[in-house]
Amino acid sequence: MPELSLLSALDAARIQWYHFKAIIVAGMGLFTDAYDLFCIAPIMKMISQIYYHKDSIGTALLSTSYAIALLGTALGQLIFGYLGDRVGRRKVYGLSLLIMVFSSFGCGFSVCTTRRSCVMVSLGFFRFVLGLGIGGDYPLSATIMSEFANKRTRGAFIAAVFSMQGLGILMSSAVTMVVCLAFKNAGEGSSEKTNVAGLETLAPPESDIAWRLILMIGALPAALTFYWRMLMPETARYTALVENNVVQAAKDMQRVMSVSMISQVTEDSSSELEQPPSSSSYKLFSRRFLTLHGRDLFAASANWFLVDVVFYTSNLLLSQIFNFSNKPLNSTNVYDSAFEVAKLAAIVAACSTIPGYWFTVYFIDKIGRVKIQMMGFFLMAVVYLVAGIPYSWYWSKHEKTNKGFMVLYGLIFFFSNFGPNTTTFIIPAELFPARFRSTCHGISGAAGKFGAIVGTVGFLWATKHHEDDGFPDVKRVRIAFLILGGVCIAGMIVTYLFTRETMGRSLEENEDEIVSTSAGSSPANELLRRQY
């Protein structure tokens, strides 16, 4: 069976330059995803002061601005995940990147400069389209990397792709701070005291350009990698197992990688008749599919839902709980307020988020996915309870720089990324058959983004700010922390009961285990496996 020889050769391939190139090319999409999703917090601070001033931006509009991109991301994961299995990973990989590039520029060119309702509608539209592109990148990047990697270091390679999100968060913060400083210094000599709407404000007219520039800069990294993304061949597993073209799969791999046995595979394949697709292949969500993969799809989706409730809510609360400015919140100019939010995000990204990602890269193929996921959920639950139970004491006097509490809060991001935030991205790319892999990853990811919507919108309303000082209500935040700790415990339970370990086995061996469990060990399992 030449296709088995080809896949075995890929699983045993040594680490080489193309693996790292694929990490960079695929990772830049995740870099752009994180930049665009997480720059919105300081952007909304700026928009609030530029267009709303004394009226203040309402909770309904604020929650909508956060949710609109997440909704687009969920839809993009479903659509592009399906297309990745239907027409091929490579054929739609560039499309998702183009959508991100053009919609990022679209966000910056949001029409109107004086009517705030017009600005918000236009921005919301382009953020939704941006979400479609971001969502498409999740299943395609994970699936492509999993199908190129060898089985020994597959987890580390997929985690390395996902770790680019940390750099994207750091870059969005750095760009925001640089742009704010540049505009602030350039406008210090101006005597203009009105905003773009003609109201007396601490937001000068040129600040309307600053937030647009921050959004548009996010398109550049993705645009720079488009050429190399288009040069990537289709993955050998898709070509061999889904398109049933082993010869082409071997030729594609010969172009980019040095893999033993590829030449022999080509010779063997040319002497055999091409295998026709199995007539008994089952469909997505058929009874056979649910019997074999229903548990795995539930586990992947439920865990991703739960961790995104925690992860996105934690990011939202971060900018609301902490404030390092010595100035009263209602007297801070537009640049200072956005700068403080971005600075805080940069500190957390550098000290907690990025180290968490790279701990996972190092340990994922040594400890295993399930253990890291359970550990992350458990330790996040501990931190939430330790921070939440005495929360009133921590912030009894609204201490703006409670360093002990900030260290605790940073541990949440560390164990989220050295834990379920990364493993939920990896596991769906390893569990499912080649012809369902991208679709199932998209379904799992979409469940996660619905969890993110529940977390951001729900907790934004639940922890509304005091009118007098701008801080969220202490009792409400304490309850929110305890709920989030309970969500982490639920994730640990779901992981323990339903999630299977995939470390150290090829993608086909993971499928074989499902078949063996369902059908029993027999020679017929090999035939059943070929129907994937």
Side-chain angles (χ1 to χ4, degrees):
M1 296 180 185
E3 68 269 31
L4 295 182
S5 300
L6 171 65
L7 302 182
S8 297
L10 289 173
D11 284 329
R14 60 180 174 81
I15 299 174
Q16 47 198 284
W17 164 243
Y18 188 76
H19 287 127
F20 296 103
K21 181 179 178 180
I23 289 172
I24 295 172
V25 173
M28 288 312 295
L30 275 297
F31 178 98
T32 304
D33 298 347
Y35 182 103
D36 290 324
L37 285 178
F38 291 96
C39 72
I40 194 63
I43 293 295
M44 292 309 297
K45 288 280 187 181
M46 298 180 74
I47 289 176
S48 177
Q49 289 190 258
I50 294 170
Y51 291 102
Y52 290 84
H53 190 39
K54 294 180 181 179
D55 294 340
S56 181
I57 192 167
T59 303
L61 184 58
L62 189 61
S63 59
T64 301
S65 67
Y66 283 117
I68 192 72
L70 295 173
L71 183 61
T73 302
L75 188 59
Q77 287 173 313
L78 294 173
I79 294 173
F80 281 91
Y82 173 78
L83 291 176
D85 287 332
R86 188 74 174 178
V87 301
R89 288 79 157 110
R90 179 184 177 276
K91 290 180 181 178
V92 293
Y93 203 27
L95 178 59
S96 67
L97 196 69
L98 285 177
I99 292 174
M100 283 192 286
V101 171
F102 287 112
S103 56
S104 293
F105 282 114
C107 289
F109 285 108
S110 296
V111 296
C112 302
T113 57
T114 56
R115 294 179 57 189
R116 62 193 187 189
S117 59
C118 182
V119 171
M120 295 307 296
V121 169
S122 177
L123 179 61
F125 170 77
F126 285 112
R127 291 282 296 175
F128 177 80
V129 177
L130 175 65
L132 293 176
I134 290 174
D137 215 62
Y138 274 75
L140 296 174
S141 292
T143 301
I144 287 172
M145 197 67 245
S146 72
E147 293 181 345
F148 272 125
N150 62 58
K151 67 180 181 180
R152 183 171 58 86
T153 58
R154 184 180 61 240
F157 285 163
I158 304 174
V161 170
F162 195 62
S163 71
M164 296 295 284
Q165 279 201 333
L167 298 178
I169 296 172
L170 185 62
M171 180 59 69
S172 72
S173 301
V175 168
T176 300
M177 289 189 289
V178 169
V179 169
C180 287
L181 279 177
F183 274 77
K184 180 183 177 182
N185 293 335
E188 280 183 346
S190 174
S191 59
E192 184 66 65
K193 298 297 183 182
T194 60
N195 68 357
V196 294
L199 300 172
E200 186 177 347
T201 182
L202 293 169
E206 60 269 19
S207 62
D208 189 53
I209 301 175
W211 69 265
R212 298 171 186 269
L213 182 61
I214 293 169
L215 289 172
M216 288 191 288
I217 289 175
L220 297 180
L224 293 174
T225 59
F226 178 77
Y227 173 75
W228 287 275
R229 185 173 284 201
M230 289 296 92
L231 292 180
M232 295 179 72
E234 183 57 83
T235 68
R237 283 183 163 88
Y238 183 85
T239 304
L241 297 177
V242 181
E243 295 183 338
N244 297 291
N245 191 341
V246 183
V247 175
Q248 185 60 47
K251 290 179 179 178
D252 287 342
M253 289 302 98
Q254 280 182 313
R255 281 176 30 205
V256 297
M257 296 175 66
S258 174
V259 182
S260 61
M261 295 179 63
I262 288 289
S263 299
Q264 184 63 39
V265 168
T266 306
E267 294 174 6
D268 293 344
S269 300
S270 62
S271 63
E272 294 187 13
L273 293 175
E274 186 175 329
Q275 292 288 340
S278 172
S279 60
S280 61
S281 295
Y282 54 88
K283 296 182 179 180
L284 184 69
F285 295 129
S286 65
R287 180 175 298 180
R288 183 66 176 163
F289 173 88
L290 294 176
T291 299
L292 293 174
H293 309 292
R295 169 178 168 171
D296 291 329
L297 186 58
F298 165 77
S301 301
N303 283 320
W304 208 329
F305 177 92
L306 294 170
V307 73
D308 272 9
V309 169
V310 174
F311 185 73
Y312 281 84
T313 303
S314 299
N315 275 286
L316 174 68
L317 293 176
L318 180 66
S319 60
Q320 297 188 38
I321 294 174
F322 295 97
N323 176 38
F324 289 94
S325 175
N326 293 321
K327 301 176 183 179
L329 293 177
N330 57 4
S331 66
T332 304
N333 71 47
V334 64
Y335 302 122
D336 288 340
S337 61
F339 184 93
E340 295 302 330
V341 173
K343 182 175 74 173
L344 178 58
I347 293 172
V348 172
C351 298
S352 299
T353 302
I354 294 175
Y357 281 124
W358 285 100
F359 265 67
T360 302
V361 171
Y362 183 79
F363 287 106
I364 189 72
D365 290 311
K366 296 178 173 63
I367 299 176
R369 287 77 162 140
V370 172
K371 290 181 180 178
I372 289 178
Q373 187 161 299
M374 288 188 64
M375 176 202 68
F377 270 129
F378 173 73
L379 292 176
M380 279 197 296
V382 170
V383 174
Y384 271 120
L385 295 177
V386 170
I389 293 173
Y391 183 81
S392 301
W393 176 79
Y394 281 122
W395 297 92
S396 57
K397 297 181 180 179
H398 290 316
E399 297 179 45
K400 296 178 180 178
T401 55
N402 191 315
K403 294 181 175 59
F405 186 84
M406 187 176 180
V407 170
L408 278 177
Y409 207 80
L411 289 175
I412 293 171
F413 292 97
F414 177 81
F415 288 116
S416 174
N417 294 301
F418 183 34
N421 190 47
T422 305
T423 55
T424 51
F425 180 81
I426 296 172
I427 292 173
E430 300 180 310
L431 279 176
F432 302 99
R435 63 193 181 94
F436 298 134
R437 187 168 292 135
S438 179
T439 301
C440 291
H441 194 285
I443 293 171
S444 303
K449 289 303 167 281
F450 283 119
I453 293 172
V454 170
T456 53
V457 175
F459 284 94
L460 190 62
W461 281 92
T463 59
K464 294 176 69 173
H465 287 61
H466 286 299
E467 296 294 333
D468 54 347
D469 60 9
F471 283 93
D473 182 82
V474 172
K475 292 182 179 179
R476 291 185 175 187
V477 173
R478 179 175 180 270
I479 294 172
F481 273 35
L482 297 179
I483 293 174
L484 291 173
V487 171
C488 292
I489 293 173
M492 184 177 63
I493 294 172
V494 172
T495 301
Y496 178 77
L497 294 178
F498 299 104
T499 304
R500 293 190 301 114
E501 183 56 71
T502 57
M503 180 181 66
R505 295 196 294 267
S506 72
L507 300 178
E508 290 67 44
E509 287 171 335
N510 287 329
E511 299 170 27
D512 281 340
E513 182 180 345
I514 303 172
V515 173
S516 299
T517 302
S518 177
S521 299
S522 72
N525 286 347
E526 176 63 19
L527 178 60
L528 186 57
R529 189 206 62 76
R530 286 177 58 81
Q531 294 175 8
Y532 285 82

